[in-house]
Amino acid sequence: MKRRKFIKKASLSGAGIALGHTLMSCNENAENKLVTPVTTSTTSSLPLVIATWHVENATAKAMEVLQAGGSSLDAVEQGCRVEEANEKGQSVGKGGLPDRDGKVTLDACIMDKHGNCGSVVFLKDIKHAVSVARKVMENTPHVILAGDGAKQFAISEGFEPENLLTEASKEAWEEWNLKSEYKPIINIENHDTIGMLAIDKNGDISGACTTSGLAYKMSGRVGDSPIIGSGLFVDNEIGACVATGLGEEVVKTVGSFLVVELMRQGRTPQQACEEAIGRIVNKPNSNYKDFQVGYIAVNKKGETGSYSIHQWFSMTKFQDGKNEQIQSDFFNKTKAT
Ligand code: ASP
């Protein structure tokens, strides 16, 4: 398919742009309404860390920081860096799948217990986007830096530029480029886009999120992950939430802020995640069967929740010496594969 046709097709289908690894093809269930909220959370001991997908190495690193008395902010940054450096993960940092011009561009953000935040969008050639986001938060009067400005800032802070496109990701892009066509992919195995939330020994909450975004996206496309309130939100009085999946849908409902506000109104993290997914799937004409969105959340008591539109979303949770992957409950129960 020619590029122009691809643009047309993508825009005609609304959110219909290939989400690479996180987009699933699912059967529609017109009858399917939001399932009765399940309250699987339990009040928990601290510290704790949760992350999107199965990223036990990353949560282990974050827990190591927390156990050593480190802050939740240090923990989420260090945890995310593990996946950014993991070249095998094709949705974050080095080795991330590129945009359709073959360029890897990263989005990331971080938020601390005071509500301070920093973010980078369309960052090229710097693997540790989450750490650049932290520097934006701590060393500039701004919240978001984009593109060349973000890269120049990173270099001025001592980050080394490097080529983020690995051979494996280049090959995958070249293969995609043969047809350049939009095609939802069922792939449950390679989810490394990482959103992480932690509560430290003092009970303070921080969060971070880092991604290479939608595989083969239009150049310049930015998803939800670096948008405070959409991909991530932390309110140290209430709790925190982080999102994964098709960012366009998360942005439209300001998903993570919504989850935190629902917790403020008394919902458990589980109930809040389910209600936020409900806002997406219950929209008139929602084409939710074509895309995946998942949320994980934690409240001030250390109760956690996670929920997604389709099956196979999971949360990694490290608490009380146990670092485990937990399958999320999901909305579209019919004929999920
Ligand atoms: N939310 C990310 C984005 O839309 C992608 C992902 O979570 O896999 O850029």
Side-chain angles (χ1 to χ4, degrees):
M1 185 183 288
K2 290 269 177 334
R3 171 160 302 173
R4 206 142 33 107
K5 275 198 184 156
F6 176 79
I7 295 173
K8 205 167 160 205
K9 182 153 191 173
S11 60
L12 279 176
S13 61
I17 306 168
L19 185 56
H21 50 275
T22 59
L23 203 147
M24 301 167 64
S25 173
C26 299
N27 295 303
E28 186 165 24
N29 173 14
E31 300 297 305
N32 210 346
K33 295 287 170 208
L34 189 61
V35 294
T36 313
V38 286
T39 47
T40 50
S41 323
T42 49
T43 305
S44 14
S45 66
L46 302 180
L48 79 86
V49 56
I50 58 174
T52 52
W53 307 110
H54 41 100
V55 288
E56 284 90 343
N57 290 341
T59 46
K61 180 68 196 177
M63 184 52 76
E64 189 186 308
V65 173
L66 294 168
Q67 291 293 9
S71 69
S72 53
L73 186 67
D74 288 338
V76 294
E77 181 191 2
Q78 291 303 319
C80 285
R81 284 173 64 100
V82 170
E83 284 305 319
E84 288 177 335
N86 173 11
E87 297 186 17
K88 290 193 179 134
Q90 290 188 304
S91 49
V92 59
K94 183 145 185 165
L97 289 170
D99 64 18
R100 59 195 188 184
D101 298 333
K103 302 271 187 308
V104 180
T105 69
L106 305 181
D107 297 334
C109 71
I110 195 161
M111 197 160 180
D112 74 6
K113 63 179 179 180
H114 303 295
N116 296 315
C117 45
S119 159
V120 285
V121 305
F122 197 62
L123 175 68
K124 288 189 228 164
D125 302 327
I126 308 285
K127 147 174 90 190
H128 288 306
V130 72
S131 296
V132 184
R134 181 168 177 177
K135 295 283 186 197
V136 172
M137 175 173 83
E138 293 178 339
N139 296 351
T140 80
H142 307 303
V143 168
I144 306 175
L145 288 182
D148 289 345
K151 181 175 166 182
Q152 276 162 24
F153 168 70
I155 291 168
S156 75
E157 290 285 336
F159 291 81
E160 286 287 328
E162 63 185 297
N163 178 17
L164 301 181
L165 188 66
T166 55
E167 265 316 300
S169 290
K170 188 167 172 239
E171 273 168 30
W173 169 68
E174 280 166 354
E175 205 181 310
W176 174 84
N177 216 13
L178 293 176
K179 289 191 182 158
S180 306
E181 82 184 345
Y182 165 66
K183 205 171 184 186
I185 298 166
I186 302 174
N187 183 346
I188 59 162
E189 281 160 8
N190 195 14
H191 296 289
D192 295 295
T193 292
I194 183 168
M196 186 176 277
L197 308 172
I199 311 186
D200 58 32
K201 286 178 178 167
N202 299 327
D204 290 322
I205 311 172
S206 301
C209 192
T210 182
T211 186
S212 53
L214 209 56
Y216 320 129
K217 59 198 173 186
M218 289 175 69
S219 175
R221 181 264 185 189
V222 172
D224 61 313
S225 302
I227 308 296
I228 301 298
S230 291
L232 171 74
F233 196 69
V234 176
D235 182 329
N236 197 35
E237 297 294 306
I238 304 296
C241 175
V242 68
T244 183
L246 187 63
E248 280 74 1
E249 295 299 316
V250 177
V251 169
K252 286 178 204 166
T253 50
V254 199
S256 292
F257 182 72
L258 174 62
V259 169
V260 173
E261 289 307 298
L262 289 167
M263 291 194 288
R264 190 191 306 280
Q265 292 165 24
R267 309 303 195 280
T268 64
Q270 184 64 35
Q271 289 168 336
C273 289
E274 292 182 14
E275 203 166 326
I277 290 291
R279 290 284 174 97
I280 297 172
V281 299
N282 291 323
K283 271 187 196 165
N285 305 323
S286 171
N287 60 338
Y288 69 85
K289 66 178 173 44
D290 294 331
F291 59 82
Q292 173 71 305
V293 171
Y295 291 112
I296 64 169
V298 64
N299 67 12
K300 193 68 178 168
K301 288 191 273 185
E303 297 169 330
T304 60
S306 67
Y307 198 66
S308 57
I309 299 177
H310 302 293
Q311 200 173 11
W312 304 123
F313 175 53
S314 61
M315 164 172 83
T316 305
K317 180 171 180 173
F318 201 150
Q319 186 182 33
D320 292 329
K322 261 201 302 187
N323 189 13
E324 57 186 350
Q325 193 192 340
I326 299 167
Q327 284 299 324
S328 289
D329 195 8
F330 57 98
F331 172 78
N332 188 18
K333 292 280 180 353
T334 303
K335 294 185 189 161
T337 51

